[in-house]
Amino acid sequence: MPTIQEVAKMAGVSVATVSRVLNHSEAVSSATRDKVQAVINQLNYQPNLLGRNLRRSETRMILVLLQNIANSFYSKVVKGMEDVAHDHDYHVLICNTNTDVLLENVYLDFLKNKLVDGVIFTSPAMDKDAFNQLAKRYPVVLCNEYKPGIEAPVITIDNEAAGYEAANHLIRLGHKKIGMISVNAVGSSNARIQGYKCALTEAGLEVNEAYIVNQTFSYKGGMRGIKCLFDLQEPPTAVFCISDIIAVGAIKELKRKGLSVPQDVAVIGFDNNSIAPMYEPSITTIAQPRYDIGRKAMEVMLQRIQGVGDQHAITTMEHELIIRHSTLPSR
Amino acid sequence: MPTIQEVAKMAGVSVATVSRVLNHSEAVSSATRDKVQAVINQLNYQPNLLGRNLRRSETRMILVLLQNIANSFYSKVVKGMEDVAHDHDYHVLICNTNTDVLLENVYLDFLKNKLVDGVIFTSPAMDKDAFNQLAKRYPVVLCNEYKPGIEAPVITIDNEAAGYEAANHLIRLGHKKIGMISVNAVGSSNARIQGYKCALTEAGLEVNEAYIVNQTFSYKGGMRGIKCLFDLQEPPTAVFCISDIIAVGAIKELKRKGLSVPQDVAVIGFDNNSIAPMYEPSITTIAQPRYDIGRKAMEVMLQRIQGVGDQHAITTMEHELIIRHSTLPSR
DNA sequence: CTGTTAGCGCGTTCAC
DNA sequence: GTGAACGCGCTAACAG
């Protein structure tokens, strides 16, 4: 493991000159540059970035906190982040929080201890106040999840409009009894419920709170949601699920009950997860511009680090209704 | 951002004493410890780990390289790694390589530049020689993927036995024409094909190379695989897919052709992906002990870092056949 | 039990 | 265009 000292000695120059070559400084003659570079190649020298990072007090590393890497939704979001980061000589690190506040705090220590230059949250486990406290002192961006009162840059879609659009799609198909399977823990769920209620009201349909059931963010949550809804005296003829995974569980359970989708019950999901077109039937859903969300989040983060731009801006990205077979008109 | 100097000054002690308190050294009187701790709390001091890491020349960070975080298979593997790492005061970082050699090399620089203490590969993009070269100089472990000639610790299941078991399951169900959809790029595929051939031969069935088609590791790969197999004069009555995702594509395409699963064609997948029980029909598959694979990989890594244990050992984990509805006997 | 000293490997003035 | 000297923040060896 050669050090910069050894390179300098072997090249017959000072460490400063080696450093200049390493950092592509203009102020070095091409002759010495070649000489130094030759030694670097010969020794297969790799600069120790711990030294550099300490000296510069920056790491050019951005940490992305995911609740669970298995959530394929974030795959393309992260890709967008990476592409922007790499364009600016930054790197992306990913860590799992498992929705565990303790674990989240462990990773936040990376930020506080200067091991990373910024953190992009997807779904903070900590409460709003703690989050704001953190955002005040460190570069922090919230990606794709929004709670009112957040004082940090936020990238999100208009969840209320998206919820409205989803419900409206079902209404236009002629449905009058429309259920909803939501998740309390998801910050955007309230906005989506709001949009759903708005669409119903606007169409002259009454909002039945019993039609809105809260479940876990999972396949099984979808199954249980259907069980709840179909225990009602008048079950819905259409169901808006807050995620495609939940929609899958819902459809599975409907089939188990001998009901067919979309003929007996229409189902719409959310996110345009990769499973949505694959499932049988393929699932109507709201697509989020995942890659662009990731790009934007990283752009905002890099601005945040440089201290430019509005530090509390909410960036709203466009969503899109994608109609597939789980909501085809029944006639 | 207070430094250790300021803490020392304000507490009226030397930086060494502060360092001792920070590192829970016994050799500190409880009086001064309390005094120092009070200042630390008051200043909300967070040690700069860049300094510590440089000094100790270790980071206690392990980098896990994934081709794609969307592959939910690795979610539990990573969980296993994390649990072991945390027990030993190590941390896990995840990076995406997108099967890109260039990107992989960028992340390997983290290792060469001392930013992480070790790297666990899941599926190296580089060739075998480059991998061995790397493994010779740095702590490297290969998790869940194996190529012959690898000179590094490897954690894997017995893919040949698993392939044998999958094929044998179909044979016992009475199938005689058994197709296979494989993926060239997956290192373990050859072993699985070997097991498949072995089972057929043992059952007195002839191995028909046209029944083994190579596809991409994806849903669409499964669809295309079925198209290939059913272009044959005598299509198979059962198909062994090298992954559950491929099995999903296969089933989808079979249904499109008006064939029903498992009545007309039986399908078996691999990995016990979360989609396997969710799909319609639920998918028979080979389960790998993902969590334990992750744990073991990290244990081996930590040994590797300490220079103990066999540095070229292959650890074989147990797999399990899980029978679901995609291969139920047709009668 | 505590302080002094000396680096870890590197980047950066400031001379020359 | 190049080198000497200093310090980033921290830990470890040695005194006392």
Side-chain angles (χ1 to χ4, degrees), chain B residues 150-170:
Chain B
I150 286 289
E151 293 167 7
V154 175
I155 319 297
T156 180
I157 60 165
D158 185 337
N159 280 291
E160 182 168 342
Y164 176 92
E165 214 166 308
N168 200 42
H169 170 64
L170 298 173

Side-chain angles (χ1 to χ4, degrees), chain A residues 82 86 91, chain B residues 96-98 100-108:
Chain A
E82 287 172 336
H86 293 162
H91 289 296
Chain B
N96 258 331
T97 65
N98 292 307
D100 177 351
V101 188
L102 260 48
L103 199 48
E104 186 175 86
N105 272 312
V106 167
Y107 293 129
L108 286 177

Side-chain angles (χ1 to χ4, degrees), chain A residues 51 66 109 140 147 181 213 231 245 281 287 296 311 324 328:
Chain A
L66 261 33
D109 282 342
V140 160
K147 301 175 187 178
I181 305 178
V213 301
D231 274 350
I245 298 295
K296 189 69 189 174
Q311 301 293 319
R324 296 207 180 90
L328 283 187

Side-chain angles (χ1 to χ4, degrees), chain A residues 288-308:
Chain A
Q288 305 194 43
R290 297 185 274 184
Y291 178 77
D292 289 332
I293 287 175
R295 284 192 70 93
K296 189 69 189 174
M298 185 56 73
E299 285 165 7
V300 170
M301 167 55 77
L302 297 184
Q303 287 177 8
R304 178 72 230 272
I305 287 175
Q306 288 161 31
V308 305

Side-chain angles (χ1 to χ4, degrees), chain A residues 164-184:
Chain A
Y164 176 91
E165 213 165 309
N168 201 41
H169 170 64
L170 298 173
I171 293 168
R172 286 214 207 152
L173 255 27
H175 293 281
K176 306 213 174 297
K177 292 175 290 184
I178 300 175
M180 179 158 181
I181 305 178
S182 173
V183 176
N184 253 334

Side-chain angles (χ1 to χ4, degrees), chain B residues 73-244:
Chain B
F73 178 86
Y74 286 106
S75 167
K76 274 193 188 142
V77 175
V78 169
K79 188 73 175 66
M81 294 176 181
E82 286 171 337
D83 285 353
V84 170
H86 293 163
D87 285 348
H88 295 81
D89 283 314
Y90 273 79
H91 289 297
V92 173
L93 264 27
I94 299 161
C95 282
N96 258 331
T97 65
N98 292 307
T99 335
D100 177 351
V101 188
L102 260 48
L103 199 48
E104 186 175 86
N105 272 312
V106 167
Y107 293 129
L108 286 177
D109 282 342
F110 291 1
L111 180 63
K112 297 175 181 166
N113 294 331
K114 314 299 282 170
L115 257 29
V116 300
D117 293 348
V119 167
I120 301 181
F121 284 83
T122 53
S123 186
M126 66 178 70
D127 64 37
K128 198 187 63 188
D129 290 343
F131 182 88
N132 286 341
Q133 195 73 17
L134 184 81
K136 205 174 295 179
R137 302 171 61 92
Y138 301 95
V140 160
V141 168
L142 183 56
C143 178
N144 218 49
E145 197 71 31
Y146 174 68
K147 301 176 188 177
I150 286 289
E151 293 167 7
V154 175
I155 319 297
T156 180
I157 60 165
D158 185 337
N159 280 291
E160 182 168 342
Y164 176 92
E165 214 166 308
N168 200 42
H169 170 64
L170 298 173
I171 292 167
R172 286 213 208 153
L173 255 29
H175 293 281
K176 306 215 175 295
K177 289 175 291 181
I178 301 174
M180 178 157 183
I181 304 178
S182 173
V183 176
N184 252 334
V186 175
S188 43
S189 65
N190 282 334
R192 294 179 195 168
I193 290 174
Q194 209 50 48
Y196 152 93
K197 286 181 177 173
C198 184
L200 262 59
T201 306
E202 202 178 291
L205 301 172
E206 69 170 317
V207 172
N208 181 349
E209 289 291 342
Y211 272 0
I212 306 175
V213 301
N214 273 305
Q215 278 299 336
T216 57
F217 191 92
S218 68
Y219 165 66
K220 291 200 173 162
M223 299 183 72
R224 282 193 295 262
I226 290 298
K227 281 181 193 149
C228 291
L229 289 172
F230 281 74
D231 274 350
L232 298 175
Q233 285 227 332
E234 268 194 294
T237 62
V239 180
F240 169 26
C241 301
I242 212 171
S243 95
D244 292 334

Side-chain angles (χ1 to χ4, degrees), chain A residues 203-222:
Chain A
L205 301 172
E206 70 169 317
V207 172
N208 182 351
E209 289 289 343
Y211 273 180
I212 307 175
V213 301
N214 274 306
Q215 279 300 335
T216 56
F217 190 92
S218 67
Y219 165 67
K220 291 199 173 162

